Amino acid sequence: MRGVRALVRHELRLLASLALWAARRTHGAGGGRAFGYARGQGATTAGLAFVCVVETLGMSVLLRDRPAVHAVVLVLDVYTVVFVIALHAASVVRPHVLGPGSLRVRLAAHVDLRVPLERIASVRRELRTTHEQADGVLDLAVGSRTSVTLVLAEPVTHVTFFGRRREVRVLRLHADDADGLVRALTRERDPAS
């Protein structure tokens, strides 16, 4: 049941993200500085949505003589197009947010992790395109790349999509303005610099 609840919650967040995107609003950025990360995946998402639309049209032609099957497949195909667009919308409206005392790191509607600034031991601009899974490392790649690496003095607890808890000591993420994020984090952590 826990898995079903997680999936339903995720679907609702995606649909809410579509509404926020249409209204040109962001989620949870009030009082902080937002750093987007969706620019690197826009073309890929548009291409995937286009392929889904073409597949919908193709299936409509193939199933035109079977109205019941056509109706079911059409609903699934339209939902798939909406889902793909909603994934991109969630990335746009849920940016990383640097607020007083913490960095809120997000990845669409999947990940929302608060990192207290005092736990960040170092931050650096580091472009990586390969990511091997390792204990204590959380890679939030966008378009198969990350551009900022945070090394933590103390671990933070990341709750996975299905509720599993992981201790994270190294966090890699992507930001469209990676240099700006690194500078802002450095200033927030050490205002004298």
Side-chain angles (χ1 to χ4, degrees), residues 33-84:
R33 183 171 170 199
F35 291 90
Y37 53 86
R39 196 176 334 151
Q41 70 183 16
T44 303
T45 303
L48 183 58
F50 175 75
V51 168
C52 290
V53 168
V54 169
E55 188 261 347
T56 300
L57 296 173
M59 291 304 290
S60 293
V61 170
L62 290 172
L63 297 173
R64 67 181 173 265
D65 296 332
R66 297 177 170 227
V69 176
H70 177 258
V72 170
V73 171
L74 181 63
V75 167
L76 292 173
D77 283 345
V78 168
Y79 179 74
T80 301
V81 172
V82 170
F83 183 82
V84 168

Side-chain angles (χ1 to χ4, degrees), residues 5-18 20 27 37-38 41 79 82-96 104-113 140-142 158-163:
R5 279 196 304 268
L7 289 172
V8 168
R9 189 171 47 248
H10 182 260
E11 298 296 309
L12 292 174
R13 284 182 187 150
L14 289 179
L15 294 175
S17 296
L18 268 176
L20 287 170
H27 174 269
Y37 53 86
Q41 70 183 16
Y79 179 74
V82 170
F83 183 82
V84 168
I85 294 169
L87 281 174
H88 181 68
S91 295
V92 172
V93 303
R94 296 170 185 274
H96 306 306
R104 189 173 184 182
V105 177
R106 304 197 280 189
L107 183 63
H110 318 311
V111 177
D112 192 345
L113 176 66
L140 302 177
V142 174
H158 165 59
V159 179
T160 65
F161 187 81
F162 289 112

Side-chain angles (χ1 to χ4, degrees), residues 148-182:
V148 176
T149 299
L150 302 173
V151 177
L152 306 179
E154 295 176 47
V156 294
T157 302
H158 165 59
V159 179
T160 65
F161 187 81
F162 289 112
R164 200 177 107 234
R165 301 174 79 75
R166 282 182 67 198
E167 295 297 312
V168 175
R169 287 194 165 275
V170 176
L171 179 60
R172 296 188 188 104
L173 57 112
H174 177 70
D176 294 334
D177 180 16
D179 292 325
L181 177 57
V182 169

Side-chain angles (χ1 to χ4, degrees), residues 133-155:
Q133 288 200 347
D135 285 341
V137 177
L138 179 60
D139 293 313
L140 302 177
V142 174
S144 299
R145 68 177 183 223
T146 57
S147 55
V148 176
T149 299
L150 302 173
V151 177
L152 306 179
E154 295 176 47

